Amino acid sequence: MPTLPVLVLNSGSSSIKFSVYEASDGERTKLFEGAVDGIGTDQGKFWIKDAAGTKLIDETPAVPNRDAAFKLVTDAVSKSPFPYPVAIGHRMVAGGPKLLQHQRITPEALDEMERRVAFAPLHSPIAIYIMRQAERLFPGVPNFVCFDSAFHSTIPEAAARFAIPESYVEQGVRRYGAHGISYESIVYQLGRELPSRLIVCHLGNGASITAIRDGRSVDTSMGLTPTGGIISGTRTGDIDPGVMLYILRDIAAEYPTTNAAADQLETIVAKKSGLLGVSRRSNDMRDIREHLSRGCPHCGMAVAEFTYVIRKFIGAYHAVLGGLDMLVFTGGIGENDTQTRIDICAGLQHLGIQLDPARNNVRGSATISAEGSPVEIRVIPPAEDLLIVNHVVRLLES
Ligand code: ADP
């Protein structure tokens, strides 16, 4: 197989991350990675670094909208030293009930994704926009999409369905979950060490938990959209539907149409809640820890609510799996916040989860369980882009 340069584009609600890989027989080499952050602000962040970690670009440009953000990326990667890609891989949260497998992007697939934007309204529009732009700016280069929802397509019906009238189920309203490519990458990295009963906590700005049996997702905390599940940086996680109705009625009079009120409700539950809402300070765990160290009670409550709900989900998934062999922490908080791992595991010794405080004092990949702990506890950074490259190469070859 010749050496294939592959561009990976991974868009979030306010960022575009990207990387360039070189794929050859069984070898994957990351050449560059970068990101544009702070879309919609006049001081964004734009950086690119090479494989050695040397910053080639490190700027704080105005990034008023997604066009400006994507132009920064494409202007940079279309010239030397970046190899012209032979294929482009995109990450998407969910493509709806008809698009459940990673696949080559066709006009029909794009139309279907567009019909389902309501299922991930904060993520899908920018991802679809970038797919269309990539086709235009790199003519003739095949584009592929990897769905987070693909990994969760193995969840049994009883766990994937919501108890709502059948007409909504028929429209495709069900649990799609998110972070699927991250979970798939953890399973991939564990390789032969993959245990039968695994719980992975992906704790980043978006946070979710998945129960995995023999490498397949059997339940996940996020639901139709990434707003459900455990508390995230700015999202409520699961709440009583009555709370949604209470807020809707509270704000309804201020908005002229039902849709405008629904948009505001979405802003409240998806952008102003979670760690940010409770701490009243920040959605970033680093800031919350700093204010907590200075005695901020709201930050204390944010951390307490966050770790409580995670313990509760681990208990639930222990029941789903009929026991547990391994617990994995990943994502920005999961990899770096040693105190969050201590707080979560502190209440779970009765499930065989025994953390070693000295081993826990790490950032990056490590085994952090105590000697003889019935459940092995590990920290494993996700390798989402590598997984996308693997799928792109597989799909190219087929
Ligand atoms: P996402 O991919 O969802 O944007 P990441 O997985 O990169 O997020 O995680 C970002 C979050 O990780 C930050 O918001 C912050 O809360 C947390 N984080 C990153 N580094 C640290 C650290 N050193 N200590 C504690 N939390 C951290």
Side-chain angles (χ1 to χ4, degrees):
M1 178 178 127
T3 301
L4 307 174
V6 179
L7 172 64
V8 178
L9 294 165
N10 183 345
S11 52
S13 47
S14 65
S15 69
I16 302 173
K17 296 179 186 166
F18 60 95
S19 56
V20 180
Y21 274 76
E22 223 165 43
S24 56
D25 270 334
E27 288 269 323
R28 309 282 182 260
T29 312
K30 193 197 297 181
L31 302 179
F32 304 99
E33 65 178 321
V36 183
D37 265 314
I39 299 176
T41 66
D42 55 12
Q43 214 189 13
K45 252 191 180 163
F46 175 41
W47 60 269
I48 300 182
K49 59 187 179 191
D50 65 15
T54 307
K55 286 242 166 111
L56 308 180
I57 294 180
D58 192 5
E59 297 169 358
T60 51
V63 195
N65 49 40
R66 62 190 186 185
D67 301 79
F70 196 50
K71 187 164 185 322
L72 284 170
V73 177
T74 48
D75 282 356
V77 303
S78 320
K79 51 182 187 261
S80 175
F82 300 93
Y84 198 79
V86 299
I88 302 174
H90 300 260
R91 174 194 164 215
M92 179 138 183
V93 176
K98 292 192 181 151
L99 298 175
L100 291 171
Q101 301 305 324
H102 309 319
Q103 58 193 266
R104 183 161 180 175
I105 299 173
T106 60
E108 296 74 34
L110 270 170
D111 289 346
E112 174 62 15
M113 286 182 236
E114 224 137 43
R115 277 193 286 277
R116 306 293 178 173
V117 289
F119 290 176
L122 301 177
H123 296 79
S124 296
I126 187 164
I128 294 169
Y129 162 83
I130 284 173
M131 289 176 210
R132 291 202 187 278
Q133 288 296 312
E135 289 193 327
R136 199 174 62 77
L137 293 164
F138 297 94
V141 177
N143 282 259
F144 299 86
V145 59
C146 293
F147 296 107
D148 276 329
S149 49
F151 185 68
H152 299 304
S153 63
T154 50
I155 294 178
E157 279 298 288
R161 286 172 56 112
F162 298 120
I164 50 175
E166 196 59 27
S167 58
Y168 292 105
V169 177
E170 281 162 11
Q171 288 175 31
V173 177
R174 58 183 285 129
R175 184 182 306 284
Y176 293 103
H179 298 135
I181 300 166
S182 165
Y183 293 121
E184 199 185 336
S185 83
I186 300 296
V187 168
Y188 172 80
Q189 291 180 77
L190 282 168
R192 286 162 179 258
E193 294 178 287
L194 177 74
S196 176
R197 299 167 304 178
L198 170 68
I199 294 176
V200 182
C201 303
H202 179 112
L203 310 179
N205 189 34
S208 70
I209 304 189
T210 293
I212 298 170
R213 182 181 291 118
D214 300 325
R216 293 155 74 93
S217 174
V218 291
D219 204 352
T220 193
S221 58
M222 284 177 171
L224 174 72
T225 70
T227 308
I230 61 172
I231 294 170
S232 287
T234 59
R235 304 181 193 129
T236 54
D238 289 351
I239 50 171
D240 171 4
V243 178
M244 299 280 284
L245 294 172
Y246 178 90
I247 298 173
L248 187 61
R249 290 195 179 107
D250 186 53
I251 63 174
E254 295 166 45
Y255 293 90
T257 64
T258 309
N259 270 343
D263 286 348
Q264 176 60 12
L265 178 60
E266 178 171 55
T267 301
I268 292 169
V269 298
K271 293 185 176 169
K272 294 189 170 175
S273 295
L275 292 174
L276 172 68
V278 182
S279 71
R280 308 182 193 182
R281 295 271 181 185
S282 173
N283 58 311
D284 191 309
M285 188 56 91
R286 287 164 290 199
D287 299 335
I288 292 172
R289 290 278 175 215
E290 197 192 315
H291 288 290
L292 181 56
S293 70
R294 290 196 242 126
C296 169
H298 308 301
C299 293
M301 186 49 72
V303 169
E305 284 189 38
F306 182 65
T307 50
Y308 174 76
V309 76
I310 293 170
R311 281 200 300 274
K312 204 157 80 167
F313 263 90
I314 292 174
Y317 288 167
H318 188 281
V320 166
L321 293 168
L324 186 61
D325 303 308
M326 188 187 287
L327 176 67
V328 171
F329 289 100
T330 191
I333 300 173
E335 288 160 44
N336 297 299
D337 197 72
T338 53
Q339 190 59 45
T340 290
R341 298 195 299 247
I342 290 173
D343 293 348
I344 292 169
C345 293
L348 299 174
Q349 290 93 340
H350 64 292
L351 299 182
I353 295 170
Q354 294 165 12
L355 189 75
D356 182 312
R359 287 182 184 166
N360 182 48
N361 220 1
V362 291
R363 297 210 154 91
S365 284
T367 297
I368 56 172
S369 39
E371 204 63 46
S373 169
V375 175
E376 189 176 347
I377 312 170
R378 290 205 193 182
V379 179
I380 305 177
E384 292 165 294
D385 287 5
L386 174 66
L387 240 280
I388 293 174
V389 172
N390 284 348
H391 284 299
V392 166
V393 171
R394 174 179 61 79
L395 290 163
L396 263 179
E397 286 177 343
S398 65

